[in-house]
Amino acid sequence: MIKTIMKSIREYKAPAIWTPILIIGEVAMECMLPFIIARLINEIQAGCEFSVIVQYGGLLALMALVSLAFGVGAGKTCAMASCGFAKNLRKDLFYKVQGFSFENIDRFSTSSLVTRLTTDVTNVQMAFMTIIRMAVRAPIMLIFSFTMAFIMGGQMAWIFVGLMPFMGICLAIIIKKAMPLFKRVFKKYDKINESIQENVKGMRVVKSFVREDYETEKFTAAAEDVCKDFTRAEKILAFNGPVMQFCLYCTMIFVLLFGSYVVISTQGVDLQVGQLSGLLTYSFQILMSLMTVSMVFVMITMAGESARRIVEVLTEDSTIASPDNAVNEVKDGSIDFNNVNFRYSAQAEKFALADIDLHIKSGETIGIIGGTGSSKSSLIQLISRLYDATEGNVMVGGVDVRDYDVEVLRNQVAVVLQKNVLFSGTIKENLRWGNKEATDEEMIEACKISQADEFIRGFPDGYDTYIEQGGANVSGGQKQRLCIARALLKKPKILILDDSTSAVDTKTDALIRHGFKKYMPDTTKIIIAQRTSSIQDADRIIVMEGGKINGIGTHDELLKTNAIYREVYTSQNKANDDQSNESEVN
């Protein structure tokens, strides 16, 4: 786990190495200061001249400045190393997620990935900062202070050795009790993020149904649940401080009482006042170092679960990847489903698609219709390898999709999904997702075909109009038309519209389909729709039911032979006739 995470240090290795080196210099100076002060006290006690005091004072000032310089340098390099490490770690995580298939993302969940990229990375960053600075400083300080304590205090220094097992046992108990709580808390963090994400995305629904109070109560309950677990964990960790303080004060009391007794009883022969002063300082440094070590363990305990969750993502292999010697050219837009069965996960009890045997010629226009849950979207997602078929195979251009380079295949299959997404930026920037080299003329042509040009020119800034996050400042129909234009700019061999004209009127829908025929006659077009009017002029129409193909044929053929299609067509046209009659009466 550590080896995987440390790969993200990369160009920040130098400051990460310099930090402990500078810390060692700082600690060496700090540990020498009490020794010099003890000698100064002994000199004063012996009645030295003022010049000796000045010499010692100058030396102490110089050592303090050197220690300060080492400390400032260590702080700077530590900040560079830890912040750079966190930047690289987020970048590596984000890059890894970009390569995930839908199956990988489904397994982790979006909210969990967001938590790992934010909270978990911050925890690991803080732990890394602690390790390269405090975790180096404390043991070095401990070793230096122990050594100097034995030099100056002799047998009295053994009290520090005796305290260490007691402190170690206390720390082990605290960590053992706290670790399971932290594991549980991070999972609940995922749930909170999921709740926030769902609520923000569905804000219009929440407000339209006046469910703000319900959502607030639901979130408050989740937040309080996390708070309770964190409070329990923090209560356990809170014992660490008092235990360490107890050991610190007990030690200082012992050193003061026993040391003072030795100084007085031997009249400074066995132990001088300066040595006692130095011993007190070293006892303080030793116990503060032990407290720091305990804090480091606590920090690492908290970050350990975060690190494990990050490594889970970094070591996850995408279920969809380009093979060796991948095919780098899509010959045409022909599509073949050969006895395909598909389910979203190995644990799924039934197939989402079953017994799919379908052959589409390049340049054909295919309509797909079916009820909710009939797996229309599942069918088309196999074409661009958003998922892989569980059984059987899908071929594009006469080649199994699993043999293509994934990027090459997806560049030739443009998909306008059911849930259209626009990104924050100008209309031009959104359109160039389809082709980053597209000229203004090409964008205008694509928008004219998708019937978007007219409303774009109605905006004050035209094609430079800024789109808010998620396309919040455009209507559903406008968003759909912009997404269609974006797909057209790819000039793909296969164009898939997954119910992508549901928010536009029938006239605009007809104009878009007419534009397809004229603009891209050789492109295979697959149109998923709920309205029969959107697909009735297709070369063939596929009727889906329960994840299976219920019927295939032209509009006229299906009206005669397929009960499902005939029922949908009749119900929709009857509704249209009723609306027309009502309009005439009014």
Side-chain angles (χ1 to χ4, degrees):
M1 182 175 73
I2 294 172
K3 187 177 179 181
T4 301
I5 286 183
M6 290 300 105
K7 289 178 182 177
S8 296
I9 298 175
R10 292 196 291 277
E11 69 270 28
Y12 296 98
K13 279 183 181 178
I17 292 170
W18 270 108
T19 299
I21 292 173
L22 292 168
I23 287 293
I24 290 171
E26 181 188 20
V27 169
M29 290 296 103
E30 286 187 16
C31 287
M32 286 302 296
L33 282 169
F35 180 74
I36 301 299
I37 291 171
R39 292 188 62 178
L40 174 59
I41 291 172
N42 290 336
E43 290 283 354
I44 293 171
Q45 189 180 16
C48 68
E49 296 182 0
F50 183 72
S51 60
V52 175
I53 296 174
V54 171
Q55 289 175 2
Y56 272 102
L59 179 60
L60 288 170
L62 178 63
M63 291 174 68
L65 285 172
V66 172
S67 177
L68 176 64
F70 278 129
V72 170
K76 184 177 178 181
T77 54
C78 181
M80 288 173 60
S82 60
C83 293
F85 167 64
K87 179 199 73 174
N88 286 345
L89 192 55
R90 284 194 180 94
K91 179 182 175 182
D92 293 343
L93 275 169
F94 190 76
Y95 183 81
K96 188 72 176 183
V97 171
Q98 291 298 302
F100 278 175
S101 66
F102 281 13
E103 184 178 339
N104 295 115
I105 293 172
D106 291 343
R107 191 172 81 80
F108 284 107
S109 85
T110 305
S111 58
S112 178
L113 290 172
V114 170
T115 306
R116 293 168 203 243
L117 274 158
T118 52
T119 305
D120 288 335
V121 170
T122 300
N123 287 341
V124 171
Q125 176 188 356
M126 295 303 294
F128 178 71
M129 183 188 299
T130 303
I131 288 168
I132 64 173
R133 192 169 186 181
M134 305 306 294
V136 172
R137 178 186 172 84
I140 297 296
M141 177 71 79
L142 203 59
I143 293 168
F144 270 104
S145 298
F146 258 126
T147 304
M148 297 304 295
F150 273 102
I151 290 172
M152 299 191 73
Q155 299 297 318
M156 283 181 63
W158 282 105
I159 185 175
F160 305 124
V161 178
L163 277 173
M164 289 186 70
F166 171 74
M167 296 173 74
I169 291 168
C170 291
L171 184 61
I173 293 171
I174 289 169
I175 290 174
K176 185 179 179 181
K177 295 283 187 182
M179 194 64 178
L181 292 171
F182 282 119
K183 286 183 178 181
R184 200 161 65 201
V185 163
F186 285 118
K187 289 180 181 177
K188 290 180 180 180
Y189 262 138
D190 292 345
K191 294 292 183 184
I192 285 183
N193 277 347
E194 185 178 357
S195 177
I196 294 170
Q197 184 183 21
E198 184 180 58
N199 187 270
V200 172
K201 285 181 73 175
M203 186 58 70
R204 287 179 174 83
V205 177
V206 172
K207 289 188 176 298
S208 64
F209 282 90
V210 197
R211 297 284 283 178
E212 292 94 337
D213 291 342
Y214 170 78
E215 290 294 321
T216 301
E217 288 173 8
K218 186 173 75 171
F219 179 80
T220 301
E224 285 178 353
D225 194 22
V226 170
C227 179
K228 285 178 183 177
D229 278 348
F230 243 130
T231 302
R232 288 179 64 193
E234 291 293 342
K235 281 180 179 178
I236 293 170
L237 294 178
F239 280 103
N240 183 58
V243 168
M244 299 302 161
Q245 291 286 348
F246 174 76
C247 293
L248 171 63
Y249 292 125
C250 284
T251 305
M252 292 186 72
I253 290 169
F254 174 82
V255 171
L256 274 171
L257 290 175
F258 190 70
S260 300
Y261 173 76
V262 173
V263 170
I264 295 169
S265 62
T266 64
Q267 296 184 347
V269 175
D270 291 342
L271 187 69
Q272 294 179 309
V273 174
Q275 287 175 291
L276 177 60
S277 172
L279 191 60
L280 278 170
T281 305
Y282 286 126
S283 68
F284 184 78
Q285 287 182 344
I286 288 169
L287 291 168
M288 288 304 293
S289 298
L290 289 172
M291 286 182 68
T292 303
V293 169
S294 69
M295 288 172 62
V296 169
F297 272 108
V298 169
M299 180 68 74
I300 292 173
T301 300
M302 290 178 64
E305 180 61 17
S306 290
R308 185 191 64 77
R309 285 157 53 84
I310 289 170
V311 170
E312 271 186 347
V313 177
L314 292 175
T315 56
E316 175 81 1
D317 292 324
S318 177
T319 56
I320 293 177
S322 301
D324 296 330
N325 303 315
V327 178
N328 289 305
E329 183 183 0
V330 180
K331 184 176 66 175
D332 57 44
S334 61
I335 304 167
D336 297 284
F337 286 80
N338 299 312
N339 302 312
V340 168
N341 294 315
F342 168 71
R343 56 185 168 196
Y344 283 98
S345 69
Q347 291 75 35
E349 295 182 0
K350 58 180 289 187
F351 286 106
L353 291 168
D355 304 323
I356 304 296
D357 200 66
L358 174 64
H359 306 281
I360 301 169
K361 296 177 184 178
S362 183
E364 267 193 297
T365 298
I366 301 295
I368 302 178
I369 197 167
T372 303
S374 59
S375 297
K376 304 183 296 295
S377 297
S378 301
L379 181 73
I380 57 98
Q381 286 174 356
L382 301 182
I383 298 171
S384 56
R385 277 199 85 191
L386 298 179
Y387 292 95
D388 273 337
T390 308
E391 297 173 5
N393 70 322
V394 180
M395 304 181 76
V396 170
V399 177
D400 192 318
V401 292
R402 286 171 286 205
D403 294 331
Y404 281 111
D405 178 88
V406 174
E407 189 174 331
V408 168
L409 174 65
R410 290 178 182 169
N411 272 329
Q412 293 301 322
V413 182
V415 184
V416 184
L417 293 170
Q418 189 173 10
K419 295 180 180 178
N420 297 286
V421 176
L422 292 174
F423 298 90
S424 51
T426 65
I427 289 176
K428 281 185 179 179
E429 288 169 346
N430 270 277
L431 292 174
R432 285 197 171 110
W433 274 66
N435 177 6
K436 62 183 179 181
E437 305 297 334
T439 63
D440 288 353
E441 290 74 20
E442 287 173 326
M443 285 190 285
I444 291 169
E445 184 183 14
C447 287
K448 284 181 177 178
I449 293 164
S450 68
Q451 304 302 304
D453 182 66
E454 184 178 350
F455 78 77
I456 292 173
R457 292 187 185 277
F459 293 138
D461 296 323
Y463 282 81
D464 292 314
T465 299
Y466 190 83
I467 300 293
E468 302 292 342
Q469 185 178 15
N473 58 332
V474 291
S475 69
Q478 290 172 337
K479 190 188 297 185
Q480 286 185 337
R481 283 175 276 175
L482 286 171
C483 290
I484 292 170
R486 182 175 63 190
L488 293 177
L489 284 170
K490 290 184 75 170
K491 297 179 180 177
K493 288 187 167 64
I494 300 171
L495 174 66
I496 300 171
L497 303 181
D498 186 357
D499 204 16
S500 304
T501 57
S502 58
V504 302
D505 58 82
T506 53
K507 181 183 177 181
T508 304
D509 188 10
L511 288 171
I512 293 172
R513 285 183 281 112
H514 177 73
F516 288 163
K517 288 183 179 179
K518 183 179 178 182
Y519 181 72
M520 48 198 325
D522 298 326
T523 297
T524 303
K525 296 166 280 291
I526 299 176
I527 303 169
I528 297 176
Q530 298 294 336
R531 297 184 303 216
T532 55
S533 60
S534 298
I535 57 173
Q536 65 183 37
D537 58 350
D539 295 319
R540 284 186 293 163
I541 299 169
I542 300 169
V543 180
M544 299 287 296
E545 183 185 31
K548 296 183 178 182
I549 295 176
N550 182 270
I552 301 178
T554 64
H555 170 69
D556 293 333
E557 289 171 347
L558 290 173
L559 281 177
K560 295 176 182 178
T561 61
N562 192 274
I564 294 175
Y565 185 80
R566 185 167 55 248
E567 183 182 347
V568 173
Y569 176 78
T570 303
S571 63
Q572 289 181 0
N573 281 274
K574 184 177 183 299
N576 290 336
D577 291 341
D578 290 344
Q579 287 176 3
S580 299
N581 293 334
E582 187 178 337
S583 297
E584 289 175 8
V585 171
N586 292 334

